[in-house]
Structures are given as structure tokens and as C-alpha cells.
Amino acid sequence: MKQIYIKGLTDERYIRPLEHIGNLFFEDTKVLYREPEEKADLHVEFETEIIGHEFIVKGKLKELKEETICNGHADLSQLTDKEIFKQMKKAISKSYLLMLQEYTGMVQKWGILTGIRPTKLLHRHMQKQTPIEEAHQSLREEYLMSDEKIELMQKIIDRQLAVIPDLYDLKKEVSIYIGIPFCPTKCAYCTFPAYAINGRQGSVSSFLGGLHYEMEKIGDWLKEKNINITTVYYGGGTPTSISAEEMDMLYERMHDSFPNVENIREITVEAGRPDTITPDKLEVLKKYNIDRISINPQSYTQQTLKAIGRHHTVEETIDKYHLARKHGMNNINMDLIIGLPGEGVEEFQYSLDKTEELMPESLTVHTLSFKRASEMTRNKSRYKVADREEIQEMMKMAEEWTEKHDYVPYYLYRQKNILGNLENVGYSKKNQESIYNIMMMEELQTVIGVGCGASSKFIHPVTGKITQFSNPKHPKTYNESFVEYTDKKIALLNEHFSLEASK
């Protein structure tokens, strides 16, 4: 851990954002306002003053060979107290980032941005009809973002608006996330609510009863309010972990409960674990006209799959892909993860080569993130991962491969502790994009989560403020309380959609 002593600041609210920025450069950082008894690794001094409506920051890093002052500033005129603090935090963060860039020689292409949905910033400009160059300049100045990342975001937003021309007008509809918390085994990097299904048939049956109840009640509310559904996404866990008979009953309940199912723009089923896919389950999907699924290799190196706890073979991934094609699945997504333990450029190139043999409609390229609750993070010393330069080289390989094969980027998100301070990018063939992924990432529409561990996001129709509400993550707790949680969700829906009606 790197200890960074900060002189000149006393507000505790700056500590967390400064630690997040420090973590972009170092493995782990701790920001201190008092110098520790043992010598700190870095010494930063800030001088701040307000002249008129201008907030001025001067930052100096003692360890720089030549004294360099890194400035930041913010215009505080006509702002609320909350907005004033936000602008002051940005100014201090920019000064701090510039110092650490000079000290380490690393340039952060995302600038001071550590949030997970950067495209939302550009969407706000688009909604206000800000001229594009002015919007881009604002991102450069406010966040020190690089032209490379701004251009990537613009390309993604252009694609999103081509796929969903009415994207900004869909707040009167909802999307539905259906969480099924079971998997064959739990992957080492995973923090989703997912439980090994073996020996849990009692839990599965009880859970499905609760899920059916939630779907019925939410469906009744949607019908009563005459609200349509844009997309439905079955996630988890791995929704294809349950039996074909249970899947059949679940989709039948969806058709009986939800309004205007024939007008839903997209229904996706996450079939990420190839070892859960069977001919009879694919026939069930076909019966309900569901043809968009995910089959996720993550890697085509068998040793890697074993290391991360995926108990299927590379050959099984390929076989199940062809089986899905044979059963009419014509919009298949596949995921690859950059930076899995023991993998470098050579292994990632092999995964791209194997993907080229299959050519799914979409390819989501994730960068490994050490999520706090994952087994991989708890036992970090057991998992050797590539360094920053190699991670960045692999991301470049993915960008070049997708461009060569006519895949376009259509959504991205970032995570804390992501390797190389990079991003996760969804690529697809044109007109094969996942509408749900766009709706979820851009947070322009209410998403109702039903099922174990499912999170709902209620979007305020005027301010855009997000209210989150999550179901219990553990099946037993969910089974004991699904009625209560359903009632609370309906109360939140009534509150938000009465605001919409009163506009």
C-alpha cells in the first residue's frame, strides 16, 4: 500500500476521490491528512483560494525532481452548495492527477473519471443539443479525458441512437430484468448473486414460486397503468441452469403476466455457461421466439477455465454454439475477458482466432476487475495477471480485430479496480446490438428487477435522479420476503410514474 500525505486539505470528503485517483497509478493507496510516524511514500501540498467566483488550486508533489506546480480551477458562480463542492473536488482532482502523471510517467486516458458509465456524460450534452465539438471540449477540460476515449464514446452514442432513434423518449416504458441466482459452479472473479445449483432443488422450486408471483404482480401493475415493456433480460447466475420444464413454465408465466409481449423489442436469455445448454432447453427458447442468447467462453485456453472455476471444456463451448445455431438462435453474444490469470497476448490472440471461426453476432470484451467480494480478490496472491502494458496491448488487439471484422462498439462501462484503468466494450454486427444493454448502461429508463438479487432502478422523470432497490441476494431470504419486496417495488413505481403523469 502506498501512503500519500496530503497537506493543505482538511475536508474528509476529498479522501475517497483522491484514493480512487491514486489507485489508477498504484496497486493500492491510502490518503492521510496527518503525516504518519513512519514516512509517507508521497508528499502532496495543496494551496487553495477563492478569488471572486473563481476557485484556484495549486498542487506540488515533493518527490518530483523539479518543483512543478499543477493548477486546477473552477467557476463557482450561480451554483448550489452541493454543486460548489463538486466543482472544487474536480479542480483538486485534476491538479492531483497531473502531479501523479508527471511523477509516474503514466497518462490516464480517462482523466479523473472513475465512474462506471462515462457515456452518460456525453448523452447529457446530446440531449441538450450541444454542438459536438463544444461537448468534446467540455469533456477534455472538465475531466482531462483523452481524444481517443471521447471519440470512442461518440462512436458508441452514434450507434445507440441509430439502433434506438427514440432512446431519449422511452422513459414512459420500462425494461425488465429477471434474476435467476443459480450456476453450475461459481467463477473465481464473480460477485453476482450466484449459487451452485447442485443439491439446491428445494431452493430452486421455492425461488421459482416467488419469481412467478413477482412477475404476475408487476405484470398486473403494468397492464393497469397501460405501460409497455421495451426489453426483457434473463440474467443471474445462469438462467439456463434450471431445467427445460422450469424454463417452459417461467416463459409461459411471462407471456401470461406481461402486457403486449408481442411488442417487446428484445428478449435475451443469458446462457453464459455452455455446460447448461441442452437441445430441450434450446427448443423451449425457440417455442417462445427467443433467439438472442449469450454463450460465454471467457477464454479458449483450457488451463485458464480450470483456474477460474469454469467446469466446461473449450470444445463444449464450440459444440454448444453450433447446437444453438442448429436450433434457430440467430443472435448470439459471446464474452471474452482480458487479463485472466496466466493469460497474455499469445493466449488472447488464440481466443480471438477461435472467435473468428464462429463469428457470433456480438462480442463483449471485458477487462478483468478485482471485485472486492470475489474469490480471486480474497486470494490475490494465487492469481498472476498481466501487467498494465500487456493489458493495454490486448485491448488494442480487440479493437483492431473487431474493426477488421465489421463489428461496431455500441456500449461500454467501467469498474473499480479494473486492470489497466481500461473499460468493458460491447461490439456487434450492425443491427444486432443488445437494446437491453444500452437501456441499462445509459440509465434513461426505469428497469424493474424481479428475482433473487435483482436490482431495480427507478428514474425520476424530471431530474433523472436514480432510486435503486434490490431484492435479497440469498434464495432463502428471497423466498421468505418476496411478497414484501414486490409491494415495495410497486409503491416506488406508483411514486415515479405519478410524477411522469403530472408533467
Side-chain angles (χ1 to χ4, degrees):
M1 178 180 287
K2 229 172 182 59
Q3 296 197 93
I4 303 177
Y5 169 52
I6 304 284
K7 185 178 178 182
L9 298 180
T10 56
D11 193 327
E12 298 286 323
R13 290 177 296 174
Y14 292 125
I15 289 178
R16 190 173 177 84
L18 292 179
E19 285 183 344
H20 284 161
I21 290 172
N23 290 342
L24 302 179
F25 296 89
F26 310 110
E27 181 73 19
D28 198 10
T29 59
K30 185 172 181 62
V31 164
L32 306 163
Y33 283 169
R34 291 183 181 178
E35 187 159 17
E37 292 181 12
E38 68 276 15
K39 186 173 167 54
D41 298 293
L42 294 175
H43 297 73
V44 176
E45 183 176 347
F46 286 111
E47 293 178 19
T48 63
E49 61 179 330
I50 297 177
I51 303 173
H53 294 297
E54 191 79 5
F55 176 67
I56 308 293
V57 182
K58 293 181 180 178
K60 292 186 287 186
L61 179 60
K62 178 183 171 184
E63 282 72 19
L64 284 172
K65 292 176 183 176
E66 296 180 13
E67 182 174 296
T68 304
I69 295 175
C70 293
N71 293 326
H73 66 90
D75 181 1
L76 306 181
S77 57
Q78 300 180 325
L79 297 178
T80 64
D81 288 347
K82 185 177 180 181
E83 290 167 337
I84 284 171
F85 171 74
K86 191 174 178 181
Q87 292 303 317
M88 291 167 65
K89 180 179 75 172
K90 275 185 192 173
I92 289 167
S93 295
K94 286 190 278 188
S95 172
Y96 187 58
L97 182 91
L98 291 169
M99 284 185 278
L100 293 181
Q101 285 190 157
E102 187 164 344
Y103 175 70
T104 62
M106 295 181 195
V107 175
Q108 300 297 340
K109 293 181 180 180
W110 285 108
I112 63 170
L113 199 65
T114 56
I116 67 173
R117 290 176 169 84
T119 44
K120 284 180 66 176
L121 299 171
L122 192 48
H123 268 299
R124 285 174 196 154
H125 283 291
M126 301 292 285
Q127 286 176 281
K128 293 175 185 173
Q129 298 184 324
T130 308
I132 286 180
E133 189 43 53
E134 186 181 323
H136 291 187
Q137 187 60 27
S138 174
L139 295 174
R140 289 185 201 103
E141 291 176 359
E142 274 196 75
Y143 300 97
L144 302 182
M145 212 180 292
S146 70
D147 287 342
E148 176 189 328
K149 298 305 180 188
I150 293 170
E151 286 166 13
L152 173 61
M153 290 197 299
Q154 187 65 57
K155 192 181 290 187
I156 285 169
I157 286 175
D158 290 345
R159 191 66 215 142
Q160 291 178 345
L161 292 171
V163 177
I164 318 173
D166 55 347
L167 179 61
Y168 300 145
D169 302 315
L170 284 175
K171 58 188 175 185
K172 292 185 180 179
E173 295 188 2
V174 299
S175 285
I176 308 283
Y177 175 84
I178 300 173
I180 297 175
F182 301 103
C183 276
T185 57
K186 183 136 180 166
C187 299
Y189 52 78
C190 180
T191 56
F192 288 109
Y195 302 89
I197 197 167
N198 290 337
R200 283 183 174 268
Q201 196 50 48
S203 293
V204 173
S205 300
S206 299
F207 159 74
L208 288 172
L211 177 56
H212 289 175
Y213 174 88
E214 271 202 280
M215 291 168 71
E216 281 181 16
K217 294 301 178 184
I218 295 296
D220 288 345
W221 184 88
L222 293 171
K223 288 173 181 175
E224 179 190 331
K225 302 294 182 183
N226 196 28
I227 292 171
N228 284 323
I229 298 169
T230 308
T231 68
V232 175
Y233 191 98
Y234 287 85
T238 307
T240 46
S241 294
I242 61 176
S243 71
E245 292 75 19
E246 289 163 337
M247 286 171 60
D248 196 353
M249 289 171 61
L250 182 60
Y251 303 150
E252 183 177 22
R253 188 59 54 99
M254 178 189 75
H255 275 259
D256 291 344
S257 301
F258 291 167
N260 304 317
V261 173
E262 67 281 359
N263 294 329
I264 294 173
R265 300 188 193 192
E266 171 190 274
I267 301 174
T268 299
V269 174
E270 185 75 51
R273 294 287 293 262
D275 39 342
T276 65
I277 299 171
T278 62
D280 54 346
K281 292 178 186 180
L282 290 168
E283 282 301 313
V284 172
L285 294 173
K286 190 174 178 181
K287 174 182 174 181
Y288 292 96
N289 297 315
I290 298 169
D291 65 357
R292 188 177 192 282
I293 63 172
S294 287
I295 303 173
N296 298 331
Q298 316 298 28
S299 167
Y300 285 90
T301 299
Q302 192 61 50
Q303 188 176 346
T304 303
L305 296 180
K306 183 178 179 182
I308 62 176
R310 289 176 77 87
H311 294 179
H312 61 84
T313 64
V314 170
E315 290 73 19
E316 190 169 11
T317 301
I318 296 167
D319 290 346
K320 295 303 175 66
Y321 175 90
H322 290 303
L323 182 67
R325 280 278 188 249
K326 182 180 173 183
H327 284 263
M329 300 298 117
N330 59 25
N331 191 345
I332 298 177
N333 173 75
M334 303 189 92
D335 286 4
L336 294 178
I337 300 179
I338 289 173
L340 287 170
E343 290 210 346
V345 166
E346 184 179 343
E347 289 79 9
F348 188 64
Q349 183 60 57
Y350 182 71
S351 287
L352 290 174
D353 292 343
K354 298 303 286 184
T355 305
E356 192 168 339
E357 295 174 11
L358 303 176
M359 298 301 285
E361 281 67 34
S362 58
L363 178 71
T364 307
V365 181
H366 298 270
T367 309
L368 183 67
S369 171
F370 279 94
K371 299 173 185 176
R372 188 172 298 168
S374 71
E375 193 278 334
M376 193 174 285
T377 302
R378 290 194 301 270
N379 298 286
K380 210 168 181 180
S381 60
R382 288 173 46 195
Y383 298 95
K384 186 180 184 306
V385 297
D387 62 25
R388 179 181 294 257
E389 289 72 26
E390 195 166 15
I391 293 291
Q392 291 174 341
E393 175 62 23
M394 286 188 269
M395 179 58 83
K396 186 180 177 185
M397 289 163 60
E399 291 167 359
E400 291 173 350
W401 187 92
T402 50
E403 185 173 2
K404 176 184 174 184
H405 294 93
D406 298 321
Y407 289 84
V408 291
Y410 76 97
Y411 85 104
L412 75 80
Y413 69 101
R414 305 178 69 232
Q415 293 166 285
K416 295 284 188 291
N417 303 318
I418 194 167
L419 293 179
N421 189 28
L422 290 171
E423 59 275 340
N424 306 308
V425 182
Y427 299 90
S428 77
K429 296 289 188 178
K430 285 190 176 179
N431 301 316
Q432 301 287 348
E433 297 82 358
S434 165
I435 298 172
Y436 174 83
N437 284 339
I438 296 171
M439 302 312 301
M440 173 56 85
M441 287 304 153
E442 306 313 333
E443 297 181 323
L444 292 164
Q445 178 191 67
T446 290
V447 176
I448 305 171
V450 298
C452 198
S455 177
S456 298
K457 291 184 180 183
F458 303 94
I459 312 296
H460 190 287
V462 179
T463 65
K465 181 183 175 184
I466 298 168
T467 301
Q468 293 205 17
F469 182 86
S470 295
N471 281 354
K473 291 185 176 181
H474 197 279
K476 184 176 186 297
T477 311
Y478 173 81
N479 293 342
E480 293 168 350
S481 55
F482 59 81
V483 174
E484 173 194 346
Y485 279 80
T486 304
D487 290 344
K488 287 179 178 177
K489 274 202 287 283
I490 289 173
L492 283 164
L493 284 166
N494 282 325
E495 179 186 331
H496 279 75
F497 279 84
S498 66
L499 287 168
E500 175 65 41
S502 67
K503 281 175 59 183

